Amino acid sequence: MTMLEITPGQLNLDQLRQIRNGGVKLKLHASAAEAIRRSAAVVQAAAAGDAPVYGVNTGFGKLASTRIGKEDLAALQRNLIRSHCVGVGAPLAPEVVRLMLATKAASLARGYSGVREVVVQAILDAFNAGLVPFVPCQGSVGASGDLAPLSHMSLALMGEGEMLVDGQRRPALEVLKAAGLKPLELQAKEGLALINGTQTSTALALEGLIRFEVVYATAIVSGALTLDAARGSDGPFDPGIHAVRGQPGQIESAAAYRSLLAGSAIRQSHKEGDDRVQDPYCLRCQPQVMGACLDQARYVRDVLLREANAVTDNPLVFAEPGADPYMVSGGNFHAEPVALAADALACAIAEVGAIAERRIAMLIDTGVSRLPPFLTANAGLNSGFMIAHVTAAALASENKSLAHPASVDSLPTSANQEDHVSMATFAARRLGSMLDNTGHIIAIELLAAAQGFEFLRPLQSSAVLEQAHALVRRSCPPMPDDHYLAPDIEHAAALVQSGEVAALLRQQTGMVVLP
């Protein structure tokens, strides 16, 4: 495996992709050690003292005024983790858990959390051994940290929870022993530092962002395929149109469409003698819509990169060289930045699917596309893509409901001590379902556009769009007559997720969705 050295506070998107995908081991840059030791010394001094310090020798939340004796400080941290393991629902995917482990280790290693080096190393050791703590997906409101999911992650490291092994739940202690690892034993503040943070919501949002990159790039290609199948105009992609507006994503998207369509004999065949003045918006306004979604995704990337590198627990320890050390309570655990970013990405995901659904509807409408009704030569006897479009419409509608902002909701918790929360964890978690939906819409569009090409032969599209057509045809045959279409949709959806169509965009245009 590749050894990836991470410097706390300097994780980049490429590193996060590698962490998410697996196949790497992690080690901390040597420069992190001193800051970790300084902050841990401050906590250890507070634990040995008599002054009340939240998270060290007090209860938590509404119980913060309750003092805990020195002999019980370790038990306090263990009990915190145990009592907060209240998650429900299906387990988080290994990709998400890997991001949780890595970003939690990187956050603690910045030296503002007061944990010992052994805590950070225990997280890295579990990651490097390929261990996946069992973390239920529901139970966090995205404030006071992602308490429940991070508690499940931490309990597994302590040997008291569960791990996922080949998708099955196994006792964590058994799995740790098999990997040659010892259970983590907590000291003062360390349990709180482990669970007070936004690493679950951030990991879920990063998972959505990384997946969106592939779906988005594929949608650019499928949109170009549809435009050529419908013999649409490439005039709306003229660079002057987009330059005078000045929106960067729009300019970049228009350039991508121009490059994908360049050299199409289909386009050349109808440049003259076509009496259509303007294409419908789903074709003509692709750069405007997709460009805005691109800008939105890049904003989300910036927010999530900051959050992946952030220190988000409480209280924080400041022990800079040459200055008097101190601890102070704050609210960095409140995941509002993640919630708003996830809501923004949800809107972009929904819009990519929504305009693709309109393109499918356009293709099957012979009055607009001038292709046979429902993309079948013998309409009536055959229904063609009639109901495939219904599926796309159902998925697009579902996405519209899921796109409702989660961040505008808040329910007070902890006896009104924690009276405004972000709902960031759900905001980020629902991105997965939305991407599944949009991926299937794009899959149906690929099938419909490929079918449209069959009616235009022997004319050829551009070289790159013919490559895309060939990828579809590799597992999905033409449909001259009705056949069992659901397997084709699944094959096309797998093609979307594989990134093979998306790769054509980068190869042809050099466009990188999330540089």
Short mmCIF file of all heavy atoms in Angstrom, two decimals, residues 266-322:
data_model
loop_
_atom_site.label_atom_id
_atom_site.label_comp_id
_atom_site.label_asym_id
_atom_site.label_seq_id
_atom_site.Cartn_x
_atom_site.Cartn_y
_atom_site.Cartn_z
N ILE A 266 -23.19 14.80 -37.75
CA ILE A 266 -24.62 15.00 -37.52
C ILE A 266 -24.93 16.49 -37.50
O ILE A 266 -25.88 16.96 -38.15
CB ILE A 266 -25.06 14.34 -36.19
CG1 ILE A 266 -24.89 12.83 -36.27
CG2 ILE A 266 -26.51 14.71 -35.85
CD1 ILE A 266 -25.14 12.11 -34.95
N ARG A 267 -24.12 17.23 -36.78
CA ARG A 267 -24.33 18.68 -36.71
C ARG A 267 -24.17 19.31 -38.09
O ARG A 267 -24.99 20.15 -38.49
CB ARG A 267 -23.34 19.30 -35.72
CG ARG A 267 -23.34 20.84 -35.67
CD ARG A 267 -24.70 21.39 -35.34
NE ARG A 267 -24.72 22.84 -35.37
CZ ARG A 267 -25.74 23.57 -35.81
NH1 ARG A 267 -26.81 22.97 -36.31
NH2 ARG A 267 -25.71 24.88 -35.79
N GLN A 268 -23.18 18.93 -38.82
CA GLN A 268 -22.94 19.51 -40.14
C GLN A 268 -24.11 19.23 -41.09
O GLN A 268 -24.45 20.06 -41.93
CB GLN A 268 -21.66 18.92 -40.74
CG GLN A 268 -20.38 19.45 -40.10
CD GLN A 268 -20.24 20.95 -40.25
OE1 GLN A 268 -20.14 21.69 -39.25
NE2 GLN A 268 -20.26 21.43 -41.49
N SER A 269 -24.78 18.09 -40.91
CA SER A 269 -25.83 17.69 -41.84
C SER A 269 -27.05 18.59 -41.78
O SER A 269 -27.85 18.61 -42.73
CB SER A 269 -26.25 16.24 -41.55
OG SER A 269 -27.01 16.17 -40.35
N HIS A 270 -27.25 19.30 -40.70
CA HIS A 270 -28.47 20.10 -40.59
C HIS A 270 -28.18 21.58 -40.30
O HIS A 270 -29.04 22.30 -39.83
CB HIS A 270 -29.41 19.52 -39.50
CG HIS A 270 -28.83 19.52 -38.12
ND1 HIS A 270 -29.00 20.56 -37.24
CD2 HIS A 270 -28.08 18.60 -37.48
CE1 HIS A 270 -28.39 20.27 -36.11
NE2 HIS A 270 -27.82 19.10 -36.22
N LYS A 271 -26.97 22.03 -40.61
CA LYS A 271 -26.65 23.44 -40.40
C LYS A 271 -27.45 24.34 -41.34
O LYS A 271 -27.74 25.48 -41.02
CB LYS A 271 -25.15 23.69 -40.57
CG LYS A 271 -24.36 23.45 -39.29
CD LYS A 271 -22.99 24.09 -39.36
CE LYS A 271 -22.32 24.09 -37.98
NZ LYS A 271 -21.02 24.76 -37.99
N GLU A 272 -27.76 23.80 -42.50
CA GLU A 272 -28.57 24.56 -43.44
C GLU A 272 -29.87 23.82 -43.70
O GLU A 272 -29.91 22.59 -43.72
CB GLU A 272 -27.80 24.76 -44.76
CG GLU A 272 -26.54 25.60 -44.61
CD GLU A 272 -25.83 25.80 -45.94
OE1 GLU A 272 -26.38 25.38 -46.98
OE2 GLU A 272 -24.72 26.38 -45.93
N GLY A 273 -30.93 24.55 -43.88
CA GLY A 273 -32.20 23.95 -44.21
C GLY A 273 -33.02 23.53 -43.01
O GLY A 273 -34.11 22.96 -43.17
N ASP A 274 -32.53 23.76 -41.79
CA ASP A 274 -33.30 23.45 -40.59
C ASP A 274 -34.13 24.67 -40.23
O ASP A 274 -33.59 25.76 -40.01
CB ASP A 274 -32.35 23.07 -39.44
CG ASP A 274 -33.07 22.40 -38.29
OD1 ASP A 274 -34.23 22.78 -38.02
OD2 ASP A 274 -32.48 21.52 -37.64
N ASP A 275 -35.44 24.50 -40.17
CA ASP A 275 -36.31 25.65 -39.95
C ASP A 275 -36.53 25.98 -38.48
O ASP A 275 -37.27 26.90 -38.15
CB ASP A 275 -37.67 25.43 -40.63
CG ASP A 275 -38.39 24.19 -40.10
OD1 ASP A 275 -37.81 23.46 -39.27
OD2 ASP A 275 -39.54 23.96 -40.53
N ARG A 276 -35.88 25.22 -37.58
CA ARG A 276 -36.02 25.53 -36.15
C ARG A 276 -35.15 26.73 -35.81
O ARG A 276 -33.96 26.76 -36.13
CB ARG A 276 -35.62 24.32 -35.30
CG ARG A 276 -36.61 23.16 -35.42
CD ARG A 276 -36.13 21.94 -34.64
NE ARG A 276 -34.92 21.37 -35.24
CZ ARG A 276 -34.32 20.25 -34.81
NH1 ARG A 276 -34.83 19.59 -33.79
NH2 ARG A 276 -33.24 19.80 -35.41
N VAL A 277 -35.72 27.69 -35.13
CA VAL A 277 -34.98 28.92 -34.79
C VAL A 277 -34.20 28.75 -33.51
O VAL A 277 -33.04 29.16 -33.41
CB VAL A 277 -35.95 30.12 -34.68
CG1 VAL A 277 -35.19 31.38 -34.28
CG2 VAL A 277 -36.69 30.33 -36.00
N GLN A 278 -34.83 28.15 -32.49
CA GLN A 278 -34.17 27.98 -31.20
C GLN A 278 -34.52 26.62 -30.62
O GLN A 278 -35.64 26.13 -30.76
CB GLN A 278 -34.61 29.08 -30.21
CG GLN A 278 -34.09 30.46 -30.56
CD GLN A 278 -34.45 31.48 -29.49
OE1 GLN A 278 -35.48 31.37 -28.82
NE2 GLN A 278 -33.61 32.47 -29.31
N ASP A 279 -33.54 26.04 -29.94
CA ASP A 279 -33.77 24.78 -29.24
C ASP A 279 -34.46 25.03 -27.90
O ASP A 279 -34.36 26.13 -27.34
CB ASP A 279 -32.43 24.08 -28.98
CG ASP A 279 -31.77 23.59 -30.25
OD1 ASP A 279 -32.50 23.23 -31.20
OD2 ASP A 279 -30.53 23.56 -30.30
N PRO A 280 -35.13 24.01 -27.34
CA PRO A 280 -35.68 24.16 -25.99
C PRO A 280 -34.58 24.39 -24.96
O PRO A 280 -33.41 24.08 -25.20
CB PRO A 280 -36.41 22.84 -25.76
CG PRO A 280 -35.82 21.88 -26.72
CD PRO A 280 -35.40 22.69 -27.91
N TYR A 281 -34.98 24.92 -23.86
CA TYR A 281 -34.00 25.31 -22.83
C TYR A 281 -33.13 24.14 -22.37
O TYR A 281 -31.96 24.34 -22.01
CB TYR A 281 -34.71 25.89 -21.61
CG TYR A 281 -35.33 27.25 -21.81
CD1 TYR A 281 -35.27 27.93 -23.02
CD2 TYR A 281 -36.00 27.87 -20.76
CE1 TYR A 281 -35.85 29.17 -23.19
CE2 TYR A 281 -36.59 29.12 -20.91
CZ TYR A 281 -36.51 29.76 -22.13
OH TYR A 281 -37.10 30.98 -22.27
N CYS A 282 -33.70 22.93 -22.32
CA CYS A 282 -32.93 21.80 -21.80
C CYS A 282 -31.70 21.52 -22.65
O CYS A 282 -30.74 20.90 -22.18
CB CYS A 282 -33.81 20.55 -21.70
SG CYS A 282 -34.39 19.89 -23.28
N LEU A 283 -31.71 21.98 -23.91
CA LEU A 283 -30.53 21.90 -24.77
C LEU A 283 -29.76 23.21 -24.77
O LEU A 283 -28.54 23.24 -24.56
CB LEU A 283 -30.94 21.54 -26.20
CG LEU A 283 -31.63 20.18 -26.42
CD1 LEU A 283 -31.95 20.00 -27.89
CD2 LEU A 283 -30.77 19.04 -25.90
N ARG A 284 -30.48 24.28 -25.01
CA ARG A 284 -29.85 25.58 -25.24
C ARG A 284 -29.19 26.15 -23.97
O ARG A 284 -28.16 26.82 -24.04
CB ARG A 284 -30.91 26.55 -25.75
CG ARG A 284 -30.37 27.89 -26.14
CD ARG A 284 -31.33 28.82 -26.83
NE ARG A 284 -32.74 28.50 -26.77
CZ ARG A 284 -33.69 29.39 -26.47
NH1 ARG A 284 -33.35 30.63 -26.18
NH2 ARG A 284 -34.96 29.05 -26.49
N CYS A 285 -29.77 25.90 -22.82
CA CYS A 285 -29.31 26.52 -21.58
C CYS A 285 -28.45 25.58 -20.75
O CYS A 285 -28.24 25.83 -19.55
CB CYS A 285 -30.50 27.00 -20.76
SG CYS A 285 -31.48 28.28 -21.58
N GLN A 286 -27.92 24.55 -21.35
CA GLN A 286 -27.07 23.63 -20.58
C GLN A 286 -25.86 24.33 -19.95
O GLN A 286 -25.57 24.08 -18.77
CB GLN A 286 -26.60 22.47 -21.47
CG GLN A 286 -27.71 21.48 -21.79
CD GLN A 286 -27.19 20.27 -22.54
OE1 GLN A 286 -26.67 19.33 -21.94
NE2 GLN A 286 -27.32 20.29 -23.86
N PRO A 287 -25.15 25.20 -20.64
CA PRO A 287 -24.02 25.84 -19.98
C PRO A 287 -24.43 26.70 -18.78
O PRO A 287 -23.72 26.76 -17.77
CB PRO A 287 -23.40 26.70 -21.09
CG PRO A 287 -23.84 26.07 -22.36
CD PRO A 287 -25.22 25.56 -22.09
N GLN A 288 -25.58 27.36 -18.90
CA GLN A 288 -26.03 28.21 -17.81
C GLN A 288 -26.38 27.38 -16.57
O GLN A 288 -26.00 27.73 -15.44
CB GLN A 288 -27.24 29.04 -18.25
CG GLN A 288 -26.93 30.16 -19.22
CD GLN A 288 -26.74 29.71 -20.67
OE1 GLN A 288 -26.92 28.54 -21.00
NE2 GLN A 288 -26.37 30.64 -21.55
N VAL A 289 -27.10 26.27 -16.79
CA VAL A 289 -27.52 25.43 -15.66
C VAL A 289 -26.35 24.64 -15.11
O VAL A 289 -26.07 24.66 -13.90
CB VAL A 289 -28.66 24.49 -16.09
CG1 VAL A 289 -29.01 23.52 -14.96
CG2 VAL A 289 -29.90 25.30 -16.50
N MET A 290 -25.66 23.94 -15.98
CA MET A 290 -24.55 23.11 -15.52
C MET A 290 -23.39 23.95 -15.00
O MET A 290 -22.68 23.55 -14.07
CB MET A 290 -24.08 22.19 -16.65
CG MET A 290 -25.15 21.19 -17.12
SD MET A 290 -25.65 20.03 -15.83
CE MET A 290 -24.23 18.93 -15.83
N GLY A 291 -23.20 25.12 -15.58
CA GLY A 291 -22.15 26.01 -15.08
C GLY A 291 -22.44 26.51 -13.68
O GLY A 291 -21.54 26.58 -12.83
N ALA A 292 -23.70 26.84 -13.41
CA ALA A 292 -24.07 27.28 -12.06
C ALA A 292 -23.88 26.14 -11.06
O ALA A 292 -23.42 26.36 -9.92
CB ALA A 292 -25.53 27.76 -12.05
N CYS A 293 -24.21 24.91 -11.47
CA CYS A 293 -24.00 23.76 -10.60
C CYS A 293 -22.52 23.53 -10.34
O CYS A 293 -22.11 23.15 -9.23
CB CYS A 293 -24.63 22.52 -11.21
SG CYS A 293 -26.44 22.54 -11.27
N LEU A 294 -21.69 23.78 -11.35
CA LEU A 294 -20.25 23.64 -11.20
C LEU A 294 -19.72 24.65 -10.19
O LEU A 294 -18.93 24.31 -9.29
CB LEU A 294 -19.57 23.82 -12.55
CG LEU A 294 -18.05 23.70 -12.59
CD1 LEU A 294 -17.61 22.31 -12.16
CD2 LEU A 294 -17.52 24.01 -13.99
N ASP A 295 -20.14 25.90 -10.32
CA ASP A 295 -19.71 26.92 -9.36
C ASP A 295 -20.15 26.56 -7.94
O ASP A 295 -19.41 26.75 -6.97
CB ASP A 295 -20.29 28.28 -9.74
CG ASP A 295 -19.62 28.87 -10.99
OD1 ASP A 295 -18.47 28.49 -11.28
OD2 ASP A 295 -20.26 29.71 -11.65
N GLN A 296 -21.37 26.03 -7.84
CA GLN A 296 -21.90 25.64 -6.53
C GLN A 296 -21.04 24.52 -5.92
O GLN A 296 -20.69 24.55 -4.74
CB GLN A 296 -23.34 25.15 -6.69
CG GLN A 296 -24.09 24.91 -5.40
CD GLN A 296 -24.92 26.10 -5.01
OE1 GLN A 296 -24.44 27.23 -5.02
NE2 GLN A 296 -26.16 25.86 -4.65
N ALA A 297 -20.70 23.53 -6.73
CA ALA A 297 -19.90 22.41 -6.23
C ALA A 297 -18.52 22.87 -5.78
O ALA A 297 -17.97 22.36 -4.80
CB ALA A 297 -19.77 21.33 -7.31
N ARG A 298 -17.95 23.83 -6.48
CA ARG A 298 -16.63 24.31 -6.09
C ARG A 298 -16.67 25.14 -4.82
O ARG A 298 -15.72 25.12 -4.02
CB ARG A 298 -16.00 25.09 -7.26
CG ARG A 298 -15.61 24.15 -8.40
CD ARG A 298 -15.13 24.87 -9.64
NE ARG A 298 -14.69 23.91 -10.66
CZ ARG A 298 -14.32 24.22 -11.88
NH1 ARG A 298 -14.35 25.49 -12.27
NH2 ARG A 298 -13.94 23.28 -12.73
N TYR A 299 -17.76 25.85 -4.61
CA TYR A 299 -17.96 26.52 -3.31
C TYR A 299 -18.03 25.47 -2.20
O TYR A 299 -17.39 25.62 -1.14
CB TYR A 299 -19.24 27.35 -3.35
CG TYR A 299 -19.95 27.46 -2.02
CD1 TYR A 299 -19.43 28.25 -0.99
CD2 TYR A 299 -21.12 26.76 -1.77
CE1 TYR A 299 -20.07 28.34 0.24
CE2 TYR A 299 -21.77 26.83 -0.55
CZ TYR A 299 -21.24 27.62 0.45
OH TYR A 299 -21.86 27.68 1.68
N VAL A 300 -18.78 24.41 -2.43
CA VAL A 300 -18.91 23.34 -1.44
C VAL A 300 -17.56 22.71 -1.16
O VAL A 300 -17.20 22.44 -0.01
CB VAL A 300 -19.92 22.29 -1.92
CG1 VAL A 300 -19.93 21.07 -0.99
CG2 VAL A 300 -21.32 22.89 -1.99
N ARG A 301 -16.79 22.46 -2.22
CA ARG A 301 -15.44 21.92 -2.04
C ARG A 301 -14.62 22.76 -1.09
O ARG A 301 -13.96 22.25 -0.17
CB ARG A 301 -14.74 21.84 -3.40
CG ARG A 301 -13.27 21.45 -3.34
CD ARG A 301 -12.53 21.94 -4.58
NE ARG A 301 -12.63 23.39 -4.73
CZ ARG A 301 -12.33 24.06 -5.84
NH1 ARG A 301 -11.94 23.41 -6.92
NH2 ARG A 301 -12.44 25.36 -5.89
N ASP A 302 -14.65 24.07 -1.27
CA ASP A 302 -13.84 24.96 -0.44
C ASP A 302 -14.27 24.89 1.02
O ASP A 302 -13.44 24.85 1.94
CB ASP A 302 -13.93 26.39 -0.96
CG ASP A 302 -13.29 26.57 -2.32
OD1 ASP A 302 -12.53 25.67 -2.75
OD2 ASP A 302 -13.55 27.60 -2.97
N VAL A 303 -15.58 24.89 1.26
CA VAL A 303 -16.08 24.80 2.64
C VAL A 303 -15.66 23.48 3.28
O VAL A 303 -15.17 23.45 4.42
CB VAL A 303 -17.62 24.94 2.67
CG1 VAL A 303 -18.16 24.67 4.08
CG2 VAL A 303 -18.04 26.32 2.20
N LEU A 304 -15.83 22.39 2.55
CA LEU A 304 -15.54 21.08 3.12
C LEU A 304 -14.05 20.86 3.32
O LEU A 304 -13.64 20.18 4.28
CB LEU A 304 -16.12 19.98 2.24
CG LEU A 304 -17.65 19.97 2.15
CD1 LEU A 304 -18.12 18.81 1.28
CD2 LEU A 304 -18.31 19.91 3.53
N LEU A 305 -13.22 21.41 2.47
CA LEU A 305 -11.78 21.31 2.69
C LEU A 305 -11.37 22.05 3.96
O LEU A 305 -10.55 21.56 4.74
CB LEU A 305 -11.01 21.86 1.49
CG LEU A 305 -10.78 20.90 0.34
CD1 LEU A 305 -10.06 21.60 -0.81
CD2 LEU A 305 -9.98 19.68 0.79
N ARG A 306 -11.97 23.22 4.17
CA ARG A 306 -11.68 23.93 5.43
C ARG A 306 -12.12 23.10 6.62
O ARG A 306 -11.40 23.00 7.63
CB ARG A 306 -12.36 25.29 5.43
CG ARG A 306 -11.76 26.31 4.48
CD ARG A 306 -12.27 27.71 4.75
NE ARG A 306 -13.69 27.87 4.45
CZ ARG A 306 -14.16 28.31 3.28
NH1 ARG A 306 -13.33 28.59 2.29
NH2 ARG A 306 -15.47 28.46 3.10
N GLU A 307 -13.30 22.50 6.51
CA GLU A 307 -13.84 21.75 7.64
C GLU A 307 -13.05 20.46 7.88
O GLU A 307 -12.85 20.06 9.03
CB GLU A 307 -15.32 21.42 7.40
CG GLU A 307 -16.07 21.00 8.63
CD GLU A 307 -16.32 22.13 9.62
OE1 GLU A 307 -16.00 23.30 9.29
OE2 GLU A 307 -16.84 21.84 10.71
N ALA A 308 -12.60 19.81 6.82
CA ALA A 308 -11.81 18.60 6.98
C ALA A 308 -10.50 18.87 7.70
O ALA A 308 -9.92 17.97 8.33
CB ALA A 308 -11.53 17.97 5.61
N ASN A 309 -10.02 20.09 7.63
CA ASN A 309 -8.76 20.48 8.27
C ASN A 309 -8.96 21.20 9.59
O ASN A 309 -7.99 21.59 10.24
CB ASN A 309 -7.96 21.37 7.32
CG ASN A 309 -7.31 20.58 6.20
OD1 ASN A 309 -6.43 19.77 6.44
ND2 ASN A 309 -7.77 20.80 4.97
N ALA A 310 -10.21 21.35 10.00
CA ALA A 310 -10.52 22.19 11.15
C ALA A 310 -10.38 21.45 12.47
O ALA A 310 -10.40 20.23 12.54
CB ALA A 310 -11.94 22.74 11.01
N VAL A 311 -10.30 22.25 13.53
CA VAL A 311 -10.40 21.74 14.90
C VAL A 311 -11.81 22.08 15.37
O VAL A 311 -12.18 23.25 15.46
CB VAL A 311 -9.36 22.39 15.82
CG1 VAL A 311 -9.47 21.84 17.23
CG2 VAL A 311 -7.95 22.17 15.28
N THR A 312 -12.61 21.05 15.66
CA THR A 312 -14.04 21.28 15.89
C THR A 312 -14.54 20.69 17.21
O THR A 312 -15.73 20.50 17.39
CB THR A 312 -14.87 20.71 14.73
OG1 THR A 312 -14.55 19.33 14.52
CG2 THR A 312 -14.60 21.49 13.44
N ASP A 313 -13.63 20.41 18.13
CA ASP A 313 -14.11 19.91 19.42
C ASP A 313 -14.15 21.04 20.44
O ASP A 313 -13.90 22.21 20.12
CB ASP A 313 -13.28 18.72 19.90
CG ASP A 313 -11.80 19.05 20.08
OD1 ASP A 313 -11.13 19.30 19.06
OD2 ASP A 313 -11.34 19.06 21.22
N ASN A 314 -14.46 20.71 21.68
CA ASN A 314 -14.68 21.71 22.72
C ASN A 314 -14.50 21.05 24.09
O ASN A 314 -14.98 19.93 24.29
CB ASN A 314 -16.10 22.27 22.60
CG ASN A 314 -16.45 23.23 23.72
OD1 ASN A 314 -15.83 24.27 23.84
ND2 ASN A 314 -17.42 22.87 24.54
N PRO A 315 -13.84 21.73 25.05
CA PRO A 315 -13.13 23.00 24.92
C PRO A 315 -11.82 22.84 24.16
O PRO A 315 -11.34 21.72 23.98
CB PRO A 315 -12.88 23.40 26.37
CG PRO A 315 -12.80 22.10 27.10
CD PRO A 315 -13.78 21.19 26.42
N LEU A 316 -11.25 23.95 23.75
CA LEU A 316 -10.00 23.94 23.02
C LEU A 316 -8.84 24.36 23.93
O LEU A 316 -9.02 25.12 24.88
CB LEU A 316 -10.08 24.86 21.80
CG LEU A 316 -11.08 24.43 20.72
CD1 LEU A 316 -11.07 25.41 19.57
CD2 LEU A 316 -10.80 23.02 20.23
N VAL A 317 -7.69 23.84 23.59
CA VAL A 317 -6.48 24.07 24.37
C VAL A 317 -5.52 24.90 23.54
O VAL A 317 -5.17 24.51 22.42
CB VAL A 317 -5.81 22.73 24.75
CG1 VAL A 317 -4.56 22.98 25.60
CG2 VAL A 317 -6.79 21.82 25.48
N PHE A 318 -5.11 26.01 24.07
CA PHE A 318 -4.14 26.87 23.37
C PHE A 318 -2.85 26.88 24.18
O PHE A 318 -2.82 27.37 25.31
CB PHE A 318 -4.70 28.27 23.19
CG PHE A 318 -5.88 28.30 22.25
CD1 PHE A 318 -7.17 28.13 22.73
CD2 PHE A 318 -5.70 28.47 20.89
CE1 PHE A 318 -8.25 28.13 21.88
CE2 PHE A 318 -6.78 28.47 20.03
CZ PHE A 318 -8.06 28.30 20.52
N ALA A 319 -1.81 26.30 23.59
CA ALA A 319 -0.53 26.15 24.30
C ALA A 319 0.61 26.51 23.36
O ALA A 319 1.49 25.70 23.08
CB ALA A 319 -0.39 24.72 24.81
N GLU A 320 0.54 27.72 22.85
CA GLU A 320 1.57 28.16 21.91
C GLU A 320 2.89 28.42 22.65
O GLU A 320 2.89 28.90 23.79
CB GLU A 320 1.12 29.44 21.20
CG GLU A 320 -0.22 29.33 20.50
CD GLU A 320 -0.24 28.27 19.42
OE1 GLU A 320 0.83 27.97 18.86
OE2 GLU A 320 -1.33 27.74 19.14
N PRO A 321 4.02 28.13 22.01
CA PRO A 321 5.31 28.37 22.65
C PRO A 321 5.47 29.84 23.05
O PRO A 321 5.14 30.74 22.28
CB PRO A 321 6.32 27.99 21.57
CG PRO A 321 5.58 27.06 20.66
CD PRO A 321 4.15 27.52 20.67
N GLY A 322 5.94 30.06 24.27
CA GLY A 322 6.19 31.42 24.73
C GLY A 322 4.97 32.15 25.26
O GLY A 322 5.07 33.30 25.69
#
